[in-house]
Amino acid sequence: SQTAGGTMISSMGTLLNSGTMKIYCGTQPTNPDTALSSNTLAATFTFNSSAFGSASLVSSKMQIVGSLSATTVTAAASCTASFARLLESDGTTVVGDMTVGTSGTDVVLNSTTITSGGNVTISSLHLNMPVD
């Protein structure tokens, strides 16, 4: 149901209050519980103390939109972004992984080609929970 989906996705969003989103290059691990292996950290974004807004129905999915302290950060490395990992405010507890790209992904970047010292900009960020 929409109510259950909204509650579930909002609870996940709450885990990210004051947490971080790290953009990585390299092969995405099988799931968020799998440790990173030879991945390059390209950029780190920090969520606001209220990381996500209220859930709303978007195309048969309950969706929450992310709120970052800055939508542009300085790149830590040169590489091609392949996924994002979401971490609680403790910096170690993984909440989930997200797709990245320049359109049609969970995290929409200005470019997936990242240059060390250059800007990495996020134009949108959202989490979805399918509902029937």
Side-chain angles (χ1 to χ4, degrees), residues 55-120:
S56 60
L57 183 64
V58 177
S59 301
S60 300
K61 297 175 274 199
M62 293 305 290
Q63 184 178 90
I64 55 177
V65 177
S67 176
L68 300 165
S69 61
T71 57
T72 299
V73 298
T74 302
S78 296
C79 57
T80 301
S82 55
F83 71 99
R85 182 155 279 191
L86 309 175
L87 302 155
E88 288 187 22
S89 61
D90 64 9
T92 59
T93 305
V94 177
V95 175
D97 289 342
M98 299 177 79
T99 60
V100 299
T102 55
S103 67
T105 54
D106 301 322
V107 179
V108 177
L109 302 172
N110 61 323
S111 174
T112 56
T113 302
I114 297 175
T115 303
S116 182
N119 287 337
V120 180

Side-chain angles (χ1 to χ4, degrees), residues 1-9 62 131:
S1 75
Q2 291 179 23
T3 300
T7 299
M8 290 169 38
I9 199 71
M62 293 305 290
V131 294

Side-chain angles (χ1 to χ4, degrees), residues 3-93:
T3 300
T7 299
M8 290 169 38
I9 199 71
S10 293
S11 294
M12 184 177 176
T14 299
L15 293 173
L16 294 166
N17 290 345
S18 300
T20 55
M21 177 175 61
K22 297 185 177 210
I23 306 293
Y24 285 98
C25 304
T27 303
Q28 182 175 346
T30 306
N31 61 58
D33 292 323
T34 303
L36 299 171
S37 175
S38 301
N39 297 99
T40 301
L41 175 61
T44 301
F45 292 85
T46 302
F47 288 106
N48 286 324
S49 58
S50 292
F52 288 86
S54 299
S56 60
L57 183 64
V58 177
S59 301
S60 300
K61 297 175 274 199
M62 293 305 290
Q63 184 178 90
I64 55 177
V65 177
S67 176
L68 300 165
S69 61
T71 57
T72 299
V73 298
T74 302
S78 296
C79 57
T80 301
S82 55
F83 71 99
R85 182 155 279 191
L86 309 175
L87 302 155
E88 288 187 22
S89 61
D90 64 9
T92 59
T93 305

